[in-house]
Amino acid sequence: MGAVYFYHLTRHPLEQTLPVLLDKARQAGWRIAVRGTDPARMDWLDERLWLGPEDAFLPHGQAGGPHDAVQPILLTTEADAANNPSCLMAVDGAEVTPDEVTASERVCILFDGNDPSAVDHARGQWKTLTAAGCAAQYWSEESGRWEKNAESG
């Protein structure tokens, strides 16, 4: 049974934090789905991942391509990822179900701490997922480094 980790982004934007988490998930040997809500935003994330440093390249693709099933990291707006991920990273308010948490090694929910509606949405996700019995951790970078500030389950 997996766990869901909430990442409250206040000091570093998504395009800086996501590659770090993707690299850690790849080091764990996991296939990853990055689920967003807006295709244009996923295009933007795809571009940012391609522009990263060569020595930190993250092999990835966008859903809808001919090789989705073999992508180590698949960017998608769909609930079902063709690459059979062990890890799901939800961004921009993408929904996550308790069943997905249970079926995954890890689910990460990244949200913009400078956007009150994103914070409210993440709070709602925390309540829903923990009420369903999912183990959860809340991580904040408010102090200048990542610290676990809450845990449930």
Side-chain angles (χ1 to χ4, degrees):
M1 180 151 128
V4 58
Y5 287 31
F6 288 77
Y7 291 94
H8 189 160
L9 308 179
T10 54
R11 293 183 174 257
H12 297 95
L14 177 64
E15 65 270 21
Q16 288 180 350
T17 305
L18 182 62
V20 173
L21 294 175
L22 289 171
D23 185 52
K24 289 180 186 247
R26 291 286 299 140
Q27 288 178 25
W30 298 335
R31 285 188 184 275
I32 306 123
V34 177
R35 181 185 300 157
T37 57
D38 176 19
R41 175 82 158 159
M42 299 312 285
D43 289 342
W44 180 83
L45 276 175
D46 176 50
E47 185 178 309
R48 293 305 170 280
L49 291 175
W50 281 109
L51 295 174
E54 274 187 46
D55 61 343
F57 176 71
L58 294 164
H60 69 282
Q62 288 200 66
H67 306 291
D68 287 0
V70 297
Q71 291 292 346
I73 301 167
L74 186 64
L75 307 178
T76 185
T77 57
E78 301 299 320
D80 293 321
N83 68 337
N84 192 28
S86 302
C87 178
L88 169 63
M89 296 198 184
V91 301
D92 298 335
E95 293 300 325
V96 174
T97 67
D99 288 341
E100 289 175 312
V101 175
T102 302
S104 299
E105 293 287 333
R106 174 91 31 91
V107 171
C108 301
I109 296 176
L110 292 79
F111 62 99
D112 182 351
N114 300 306
D115 177 350
S117 65
V119 172
D120 286 344
H121 185 75
R123 283 185 182 133
Q125 287 179 301
W126 174 276
K127 288 177 186 174
T128 298
L129 295 171
T130 57
C134 296
Q137 294 182 6
Y138 166 77
W139 291 82
S140 171
E141 62 178 346
E142 193 65 40
S143 71
R145 62 182 192 81
W146 286 104
E147 294 179 340
K148 181 170 53 170
N149 291 338
E151 190 165 10
S152 177

